[in-house]
Amino acid sequence: MKRFYREAAALAAGEAFTVHLDCKPLQTPAKRALVLPGRALATAIAAEWQGQGAMLKTEALPLTRLASTAIDRVAPNPVPVIREIANYAATDLLCYRAPEPPELVARQLAAWQPLLDWVEERWAARLVATRSITPVTQPPEALEAIERAITQQGAMELAALHLATAACGSVVLGLALLEERLEPDAAFETAQLDETY
């Protein structure tokens, strides 16, 4: 599709924010208003649209897609998303450690255990780690605590948490990103520790 606007701008809308293309507010694919909870997100989405060339490329609008998904799909029915994210706790990447070589074992312990300790301290969710690929049964109370932590999130946070959790293979890393315990680059490095080694 050809670009149909000159300027994209983030504007305050009460306590929320919107993005306008020229004077027209941006809508989601389901024709809902793209109302955003913070100025930083609105500014970043406006920058995505402003950065488009003569032809629009939807792959260059990841934040727009994420916010639209939150508004159109997550907000009306968050339960399936909550369950899908929570299911990662049963097989969280950080709980499956290599039995060898010693250097990889030490790296995993140093990078992953503090995050598991943090989840236990923050949400009383004690996840069990193993040095095997055989599935370990996580304590039901830990899984319930993780699900409660996820349930507390709004639609925007759930959409972002879902994306981060799936990309990392770890709800612990997703929650660490959401709570700003880790920066995105650090979360990626932590998730890719085995492959990098």
Side-chain angles (χ1 to χ4, degrees):
M1 178 186 339
K2 286 187 177 180
R3 182 169 173 157
F4 54 88
Y5 59 92
R6 289 187 306 276
E7 185 178 359
L11 300 173
E15 292 185 14
F17 294 85
T18 60
V19 174
H20 286 235
L21 303 179
D22 294 333
C23 294
K24 188 174 180 183
L26 197 57
Q27 293 184 325
T28 70
K31 305 297 183 203
R32 293 182 171 103
L34 190 77
V35 178
L36 304 162
R39 181 182 300 278
L41 179 58
T43 300
I45 289 175
E48 286 182 341
W49 285 88
Q50 191 62 34
Q52 292 283 311
M55 298 297 289
L56 297 179
K57 296 181 180 177
T58 57
E59 65 272 11
L61 300 168
L63 293 174
T64 304
R65 287 196 319 270
L66 184 65
S68 294
T69 298
I71 293 166
D72 286 347
R73 299 184 70 197
V74 178
N77 188 14
V79 174
V81 178
I82 291 167
R83 287 188 181 142
E84 191 171 329
I85 298 166
N87 284 341
Y88 276 85
T91 57
D92 197 283
L93 168 73
L94 305 190
C95 295
Y96 290 87
R97 314 281 174 79
E100 59 180 335
E103 185 180 349
L104 177 57
V105 171
R107 285 184 188 184
Q108 288 175 335
L109 183 64
W112 295 355
Q113 191 59 49
L115 292 166
L116 292 179
D117 294 342
W118 168 74
V119 164
E120 181 176 4
E121 181 182 318
R122 175 74 175 87
W123 286 291
R126 185 181 174 277
L127 295 174
V128 177
T130 182
R131 286 189 178 183
S132 170
I133 58 169
T134 304
V136 62
T137 301
Q138 295 294 347
E141 59 274 11
L143 299 178
E144 291 166 10
I146 294 281
E147 187 163 347
R148 279 193 304 276
I150 296 165
T151 302
Q152 296 171 6
Q153 309 306 320
M156 289 288 173
E157 291 80 6
L158 285 172
L161 181 58
H162 183 270
L163 186 63
T165 298
C168 293
S170 169
V171 69
V172 174
L173 286 173
L175 288 167
L177 273 168
L178 189 66
E179 295 261 319
E180 299 181 4
R181 177 142 182 113
L182 286 178
E183 293 293 322
D185 288 345
F188 177 78
E189 288 174 13
T190 303
Q192 294 296 309
L193 193 148
D194 288 356
E195 289 84 349
T196 302
Y197 176 81

